[in-house]
Amino acid sequence: MQLIQQNPDIHAYLASDEAIDHWHPLVQETADALWSATGDAYSYAKVAFEFVRDTIPHSADSGDLRVSWRASDVLATRNGICYAKSHALAALLRAQGIPAALCYQRLTDDDGSNPVVHGLVAVRLPGSSHWSRLDPRGNKPGVDAQFSLDREQLAFPVRPELGEIDHPELYAAPHPAALDALRESVDRPELWTKLPTAL
């Protein structure tokens, strides 16, 4: 699949916004600490991915009922669903000058029912001409997402026979359908009723 930049200007994928608030002191502090342990863009991107994947539980796995959506809040509460964790990873990458995009899949249950939009991140390392998708959702039995720039290893490879879709668009800002669901929900049970089923 060929990934498509929604904005041709690569600088759009370095911008800060309300959700990807990478100028927030906590995001900066976290990014600086991770960078000091690595020192180059590739190592930093891998460590930042693993930090979000492994140290911030997906709230469905942890049972946390809080809803976070700003990157800084995700880092502060150590909590979030896929969209929120993607905002956190994008912010950490952008904080060190690494272009990061938000991208999405449409996933279903094993019988093709209950479609839901799932959030991912794509990264483009300095000197590279291509984007690589990463899934910081968080691993668990049956889910093994890894950092790989050459061959994707996402949490949920799509099953086209069930109507699942990899959306090729790379967004500089969160898709409104995902962001609105997060912002309009007071807790995770309400969020579960508002998750988008399509983009």
Side-chain angles (χ1 to χ4, degrees):
M1 178 184 68
Q2 183 169 352
L3 299 172
I4 303 167
Q5 285 182 215
Q6 286 295 96
N7 190 323
D9 183 359
I10 193 67
H11 295 97
Y13 299 91
L14 292 168
S16 182
D17 61 32
E18 195 175 12
I20 305 173
D21 56 344
H22 63 74
W23 295 116
H24 188 283
L26 179 56
V27 179
Q28 287 286 306
E29 177 185 314
T30 305
D32 289 346
L34 294 174
W35 182 268
S36 69
T38 57
D40 67 86
Y42 176 90
S43 299
Y44 174 80
K46 183 175 188 292
V47 166
F49 164 76
E50 292 173 348
F51 175 83
V52 175
R53 183 194 65 188
D54 298 341
T55 72
I56 302 172
H58 189 289
S59 55
D61 297 343
S62 67
D64 198 322
L65 298 182
R66 296 171 296 171
V67 176
S68 58
W69 56 273
R70 286 187 182 91
S72 57
D73 290 338
V74 175
L75 295 176
T77 63
R78 289 290 200 270
N79 156 66
I81 69 164
C82 60
Y83 309 142
K85 293 186 67 171
S86 293
H87 299 168
L89 178 56
L92 290 173
L93 293 168
R94 292 181 185 188
Q96 294 296 347
I98 299 172
L102 300 168
C103 45
Y104 301 91
Q105 297 173 307
R106 180 184 185 268
L107 303 175
T108 70
D109 288 344
D110 289 339
D111 61 359
S113 65
N114 299 315
V116 68
V117 174
H118 176 61
L120 312 165
V121 171
V123 61
R124 184 170 160 183
L125 290 180
S128 175
S129 62
H130 76 278
W131 292 87
S132 300
R133 294 190 306 168
L134 304 169
D135 192 341
R137 180 226 178 270
N139 290 340
K140 61 179 184 177
V143 175
D144 184 27
Q146 298 294 329
F147 183 87
S148 176
L149 301 180
D150 301 321
R151 187 179 64 84
E152 285 186 344
Q153 189 167 340
L154 304 178
F156 306 107
V158 299
R159 300 167 294 181
E161 67 277 10
L162 298 178
E164 296 185 339
I165 300 168
D166 275 320
H167 291 288
E169 295 85 6
L170 300 174
Y171 296 91
H175 192 284
L179 187 58
D180 289 349
L182 291 172
R183 294 175 63 176
E184 295 171 3
S185 299
V186 299
D187 57 23
R188 192 164 47 82
E190 181 179 1
L191 175 59
W192 260 211
T193 70
K194 293 183 175 179
L195 291 176
T197 59
L199 295 182

